Amino acid sequence: MKIKSRIAAVILCPMAMASAADVVSPAIIPLPQKMEIRSGIFKLTPDTHIAADSVSARTARFLAARVREVTGYPLNLISAKSGGSGNILLTTKDADTNLGLEGYALTVTPDSVVIRAPTQAGLFYGVQTLLQLLPPDIFSTKRVTHEDWQVPCVQIEDWPRFNWRGLMLDASRHFFTVQEVEQLLDAMATLKMNVFHWHLTDDQGWRIEIKKYPKLTQIGGWRPGVGFGLDPKSTTAYGPDGRYGGFYTQADIREVVAYAAARHIAVVPEIEMPGHSLAALAAYPQFGCTGGPFTIPLQLGVFNGIYNPANEATFKFLDEVLTEVFQLFPGKYVHLGGDEVPKDTWKNSPACQALMKREGLTNENELQGWFMQRMEKFVEAHGRIPIGWSEIMQGGLASNTVVMDWIGGGTEAASAGHDVVMAPHRFCYLCYYPSLDRPPNLRAYRPYLPLSKVYGFEPIPAALEPRYRSHILGVEACVWTPDIPSLSDVEELTFPRVDALAEAGWSSQSARNFDNFLQRLDVEYQRLAFCGINYWRDNATQIGEWTPKKISGPTNLLEWDATREITAPGAYRLSLDYTSGKNPLTIQWAALWENGREIARDAHIGFTGTSSRAVKACDWNYYFDLPDLRKGARYAVKVSVAGGEGNDSTGVVFLGREKAR
Ligand code: ACM
């Protein structure tokens, strides 16, 4: 369960311990702020007790339950006063308040484990680190009898870089049960993530029971089929009448909120407005601009689901919906959506045009601002903080509104004094596919978002002046589910890329290192497997790029160094991933070179671009077999390409070691 680290752990002070060359880095994700590995081990035994002060008893019970289930040891709880040798102590007493609201100190010696933190959140995170110091089968869903439950001796002081370490799940496009949501919450907790953003309403489904408006779920929660061109058998979320869908009762919501709170995760509900509202309008067409009828679509890209701001009853409806939402979700933040608002309906509505005239609004963007600010102020008046996607900046913001940056605006919002959560789609949309080999069971949106790129994400925008940096609350991973009908598929897209974003949210920028992360992932994969979580494994890294300048000739020979990536014999995949331009690039062949000599060639004709031919064929992947690795050799890949129908494309080139094919 331990791995040799290529970068030494952060050493607090020189102690009598293993030399730097032998430093063995435990596979903790996210990487702790300060960690010193000492010699020796602590061993869990059937006699180990957990001691806790009274305020920490709940966290102690959480630890005991996990360890007891797997080891079968009794792990009895005793009071902190009777702590002592051979035991685990969880306490807030004498904790260093400089560790902050989520920090902790963890000391493992051969005789004891002590987790000290100013808050229960900090203690809980100390427990997560302790679990990650144990062998990975501590996460097993079954009893394990053959394991030696050892913990390496360490001294850790740890706290998060950012307060917001989120995961968004789109439960509208596909429905996930309470149990499935709770499985994700469990996984988030192990990564010290603390915000679950629950996308509960959209065009394709309304998923939250609202007592005052029962048709929202009776009608808005169901559609005629799974939709999105998916195999009907790819999901089991069908009602007794065969319709696809489902919804969370208010009791379900309370259960999830409590389950999350026990893991120090705040749940942020999202109620979309003014667009993405077809499911609501299918149930209550009187709040739309045309009066309906509206139908729930079975695909994306239907753009008439927009509320009517010229009807006061619309605001009464939304206020009453949100009033029930406030009662269910005790957290500070409520997300109002605000993205991708189709304005044509407002343009064509005489009532909306009359409203704009009355209010002195010169265009529909200003009408969106008027709409959103009214709702933002309603949220603020109820003591909560509104959030919206990038587009809510179009018409101005209420004073406290938080911007969730998916397509920009974060720098501007933070510079204007607004808090910002960074979720730029190019780094944080885990529904983008993790591999250029589109897995046969898994459809996801383009573009390619490899683990290495996610890992490289820096949440503070480069252009942001230092004085505004504190407005960046943190980072969020987003999983949109139109193409993702099952939890297993959600997991395959989410893990391990969410591990990378968890580390971006928690660990210091300077300590992050992709090679070291990959090594820790080797253990994390085992943990995920023991948890029963499906995950994608792809270690491809970017080795280069192409630009129109490099492909201007009728044919062009491109070359990239691959010495760093070719580290072992085996199968390698080279992927030429188109990123922009009108025309696909034609690939004539790709070859692997070793010390100036060609040793492998894949000569199929490939295309990379937006054309359906290129997208379907997946043939921008080239494979090489390397039977033997020549130590110290220089490796390179060479590719012959032609613009074909044009030479305006840009793209990035990835090389990765393949799983056995
Ligand atoms: C979004 O992806 N429309 C926020």
Side-chain angles (χ1 to χ4, degrees):
M1 83 104 182
K2 283 176 290 178
I3 51 169
K4 292 265 181 206
S5 172
R6 269 188 239 157
I7 58 160
V10 179
I11 303 294
L12 287 174
C13 56
M15 305 276 300
M17 71 189 90
S19 74
D22 296 331
V23 165
V24 171
S25 175
I28 299 168
I29 297 176
L31 193 68
Q33 301 286 352
K34 291 184 179 176
M35 175 165 63
E36 175 194 330
I37 296 129
R38 300 175 170 177
S39 56
I41 51 131
F42 173 89
K43 206 167 158 186
L44 278 184
T45 73
D47 296 327
T48 303
H49 288 61
I50 301 181
D53 56 355
S54 56
V55 290
S56 308
R58 189 169 176 185
T59 309
R61 281 198 297 274
F62 183 94
L63 172 64
R66 169 92 308 256
V67 176
R68 196 180 289 141
E69 183 182 326
V70 178
T71 62
Y73 300 165
L75 270 302
N76 290 330
L77 260 56
I78 55 176
S79 93
K81 285 188 213 81
S82 46
S85 180
N87 288 330
I88 299 171
L89 171 65
L90 271 59
T91 184
T92 52
K93 199 160 174 284
D94 300 328
D96 179 357
T97 51
N98 292 324
L99 291 167
L101 293 177
E102 296 182 295
Y104 66 93
L106 166 64
T107 306
V108 181
T109 66
D111 288 337
S112 67
V113 172
V114 178
I115 307 175
R116 219 177 271 284
T119 68
Q120 291 309 302
L123 272 188
F124 183 80
Y125 294 139
V127 163
Q128 296 308 323
T129 297
L130 175 61
L131 291 171
Q132 291 194 352
L133 286 166
L134 280 155
D137 44 358
I138 196 70
F139 290 94
S140 176
T141 50
K142 299 192 195 83
R143 175 71 51 85
V144 175
T145 50
H146 53 271
E147 187 62 83
D148 212 12
W149 299 109
Q150 295 186 359
V151 185
C153 290
V154 289
Q155 168 70 41
I156 291 174
E157 282 176 27
D158 199 13
W159 59 89
R161 181 176 173 210
F162 293 104
N163 292 337
W164 187 298
R165 305 177 301 279
L167 172 68
M168 188 217 77
L169 177 69
D170 169 7
S172 168
R173 273 56 177 267
H174 284 102
F175 178 70
F176 303 94
T177 64
V178 165
Q179 207 185 10
E180 289 173 333
V181 169
E182 289 176 353
Q183 175 151 349
L184 282 178
L185 292 169
D186 281 335
M188 286 176 67
T190 69
L191 296 171
K192 305 185 175 81
M193 297 179 78
N194 65 351
V195 179
F196 175 59
H197 170 179
W198 209 356
H199 186 78
L200 287 165
T201 74
D202 212 305
D203 294 322
Q204 290 81 6
W206 182 285
R207 307 281 175 227
I208 170 173
E209 179 189 27
I210 300 294
K211 302 265 193 209
K212 189 138 197 179
Y213 293 96
K215 284 193 282 186
L216 284 171
T217 44
Q218 286 163 2
I219 293 174
W222 304 94
R223 56 184 192 243
V226 64
F228 303 102
L230 291 161
D231 180 351
K233 290 203 276 303
S234 59
T235 172
T236 53
Y238 295 102
D241 59 1
R243 287 186 301 167
Y244 175 87
F247 63 90
Y248 306 104
T249 65
Q250 295 205 345
D252 289 340
I253 302 254
R254 287 201 174 88
E255 177 182 330
V256 169
V257 167
Y259 194 91
R263 287 149 185 79
H264 300 275
I265 296 170
V267 184
V268 174
E270 181 178 352
I271 307 296
E272 270 273 16
M273 63 189 74
H276 284 285
S277 299
L278 268 173
L281 294 177
Y284 295 98
Q286 63 268 41
F287 304 128
C289 292
T290 60
F294 298 94
T295 45
I296 297 183
L298 291 169
Q299 72 280 351
L300 293 177
V302 179
F303 286 122
N304 61 343
I306 183 166
Y307 290 121
N308 179 6
N311 179 2
E312 265 309 297
T314 302
F315 291 102
K316 181 165 181 286
F317 162 75
L318 290 172
D319 290 355
E320 286 173 345
V321 167
L322 286 179
T323 299
E324 292 194 31
V325 168
F326 298 147
Q327 284 160 7
L328 293 168
F329 295 91
K332 266 203 286 198
Y333 297 97
V334 173
H335 203 304
L336 300 177
D339 58 315
E340 299 180 315
V341 180
K343 308 273 176 22
D344 281 353
T345 311
W346 285 349
K347 266 198 183 102
N348 299 330
S349 154
C352 291
Q353 294 302 313
L355 169 69
M356 285 167 60
K357 211 158 164 200
R358 258 197 329 274
E359 296 291 332
L361 306 169
T362 56
N363 58 44
E364 286 72 22
N365 280 349
E366 288 183 17
L367 180 55
Q368 158 146 353
W370 181 87
F371 185 114
M372 290 309 291
Q373 284 194 40
R374 184 166 168 169
M375 296 312 303
E376 289 160 40
K377 284 178 188 149
F378 180 79
V379 172
E380 284 179 5
H382 288 77
R384 308 302 178 92
I385 300 176
I387 312 181
W389 296 105
S390 296
E391 294 95 318
I392 59 159
M393 295 177 68
Q394 280 171 4
L397 299 171
S399 56
N400 287 330
T401 301
V402 174
V403 173
M404 188 164 273
D405 176 344
W406 76 286
I407 45 167
T411 301
E412 295 73 16
S415 305
H418 289 272
D419 284 347
V420 171
V421 176
M422 294 302 294
H425 69 106
R426 286 175 194 282
F427 293 93
C428 298
Y429 273 29
L430 303 188
C431 40
Y432 291 170
Y433 49 87
S435 166
L436 289 165
D437 277 343
R438 188 175 302 181
N441 64 322
L442 192 63
R443 305 184 327 158
Y445 308 112
R446 282 180 68 83
Y448 178 33
L449 178 50
L451 179 64
S452 57
K453 183 165 173 183
V454 179
Y455 192 79
F457 177 56
E458 165 50 32
I460 303 279
L464 186 64
E465 283 183 49
R467 65 192 160 128
Y468 298 122
R469 283 184 189 158
S470 61
H471 283 301
I472 303 299
L473 296 181
V475 52
E476 187 163 293
C478 297
V479 185
W480 298 100
T481 59
D483 277 337
I484 313 172
S486 72
L487 181 72
S488 170
D489 289 343
V490 166
E491 289 175 347
E492 189 164 12
L493 287 166
T494 303
F495 300 93
R497 289 180 298 177
V498 76
D499 291 61
L501 287 179
E503 191 144 305
W506 182 282
S507 308
S508 75
Q509 190 190 5
S510 58
R512 285 160 58 204
N513 173 297
F514 187 57
D515 287 343
N516 178 271
F517 176 70
L518 286 182
Q519 291 180 10
R520 284 178 283 130
L521 270 190
D522 279 342
V523 180
E524 177 71 354
Y525 292 137
Q526 294 176 51
R527 291 186 196 120
L528 291 170
F530 281 119
C531 291
I533 291 177
N534 192 17
Y535 65 91
W536 182 257
R537 186 168 193 166
D538 186 349
N539 292 339
T541 50
Q542 186 176 337
I543 58 167
E545 59 184 21
W546 76 87
T547 56
K549 215 163 133 199
K550 287 189 184 164
I551 56 165
S552 58
T555 59
N556 308 273
L557 188 64
L558 305 178
E559 177 174 347
W560 297 281
D561 186 69
T563 310
R564 205 166 153 267
E565 284 67 36
I566 306 264
T567 52
Y572 285 84
R573 185 186 66 230
L574 176 77
S575 302
L576 283 90
D577 184 29
Y578 153 94
T579 49
S580 70
K582 276 205 206 72
N583 298 292
L585 192 67
T586 303
I587 307 159
Q588 289 152 331
W589 52 260
L592 178 65
W593 285 56
E594 182 187 76
N595 283 340
R597 196 172 62 85
E598 182 174 317
I599 56 167
R601 177 178 286 229
D602 180 342
H604 78 268
I605 300 287
F607 301 94
T608 181
T610 49
S611 82
S612 55
R613 179 177 56 176
V615 171
K616 273 205 192 96
C618 275
D619 53 8
W620 52 82
N621 293 316
Y622 285 75
Y623 295 93
F624 309 117
D625 282 318
L626 181 73
D628 301 300
L629 180 81
R630 187 181 289 233
K631 262 201 144 149
R634 182 176 174 274
Y635 288 92
V637 290
K638 298 191 186 193
V639 183
S640 178
V641 298
E645 296 145 48
N647 50 15
D648 63 345
S649 71
T650 63
V652 283
V653 181
F654 290 88
L655 186 70
R657 183 117 185 275
E658 278 289 270
K659 288 193 276 193
R661 278 195 292 134

